Amino acid sequence: MNNAQHCTCWPGSTIWLTGLPSAGKSTIARAVADLLRGGQRRVEVLDGDELRMSLSPELGFSPEDRRRNVQRIGLVAEVLARNGVTVLVPVIAPYADVREAVRKRHEQSGTAFLEVHVATPVEVCSERDVKGLYAKQAAGEISGLTGVDDPYEEPTAPDLRIESHLQTVAESVAAVHTLLIEKGLA
């Protein structure tokens, strides 16, 4: 099926998955993307680590650099979503004000934005330690790890809160899919 034959019956949207490192954001985003692609949807996953390397390689991890990185990712997500793509964004985005600015950018263009908080406790994330960051921080090899020695501002009113440590990936995916259906986006 070529792009001209893709279903255009659903508007584009951004589903922003925020949470601590190793919370399960990318795993859930990829599984939701696979589900939506099965329905012939145009879907992109904007993984935070991949985009940081390609879109913002000059940025460090200072608060200002983190804000700038999230704003750039938010712009890319909004442009794609405004053009009919369902965009899943598994990005820590530790600061509430920047996440709100990304939401407002979407609202200004009339584009749907849903915030999903993958609310996994730091103790569970540390045990998962997918990228070895918690071990490096504990060994003193790195500092500024979000949720440990750098702040993470939890969403106060996300569109959906997922406790990935209490449910399976399939259950998390179903919760996101249900939210999309309820909002008329799937």
Side-chain angles (χ1 to χ4, degrees):
M1 178 176 279
N2 66 36
N3 284 341
Q5 294 172 315
H6 273 99
C7 175
T8 58
C9 53
W10 304 113
S13 60
T14 294
I15 300 90
W16 195 286
L17 294 93
T18 180
L20 297 174
S22 297
K25 301 176 301 296
S26 294
T27 300
I28 294 166
R30 286 187 194 103
V32 170
D34 289 344
L35 174 68
L36 295 175
R37 285 185 188 117
Q40 303 304 311
R41 296 288 299 272
R42 294 175 48 200
V43 179
E44 288 293 335
V45 176
L46 300 181
D47 184 85
D49 291 334
E50 292 172 8
L51 285 178
R52 180 175 271 282
M53 289 187 302
S54 61
L55 189 63
S56 302
E58 80 286 2
L59 297 180
F61 290 92
S62 69
E64 186 52 41
D65 282 354
R66 289 175 192 241
R67 283 183 163 83
R68 187 171 293 119
N69 185 52
V70 170
Q71 289 170 342
R72 289 177 183 175
I73 294 169
L75 169 64
V76 173
E78 186 271 327
V79 169
L80 287 168
R82 179 170 22 108
N83 285 284
V85 178
T86 299
V87 186
L88 294 134
V89 187
V91 174
I92 295 169
Y95 308 122
D97 63 332
V98 182
R99 292 191 308 264
E100 185 57 28
V102 170
R103 178 186 293 275
K104 285 183 180 174
R105 171 180 204 88
H106 282 72
E107 288 173 358
Q108 289 170 350
S109 70
T111 306
F113 177 92
L114 300 173
E115 183 179 52
V116 177
H117 180 206
V118 183
T120 308
V122 68
E123 300 80 23
V124 174
C125 294
S126 178
E127 289 173 17
R128 290 178 181 171
D129 204 7
V130 176
K131 298 172 189 157
L133 297 174
Y134 293 93
K136 287 179 182 177
Q137 190 275 336
E141 296 173 23
I142 63 169
S143 62
L145 181 59
T146 302
V148 177
D149 59 355
D150 205 60
Y152 175 73
E153 299 169 359
E154 289 191 8
T156 55
D159 297 285
L160 176 64
R161 189 176 314 278
I162 292 175
E163 296 183 355
S164 71
H165 60 294
L166 299 177
Q167 61 192 58
T168 66
V169 172
E171 290 168 331
S172 297
V173 169
V176 173
H177 192 241
T178 297
L179 175 64
L180 291 172
I181 291 168
E182 289 171 354
K183 299 292 184 178
L185 301 170

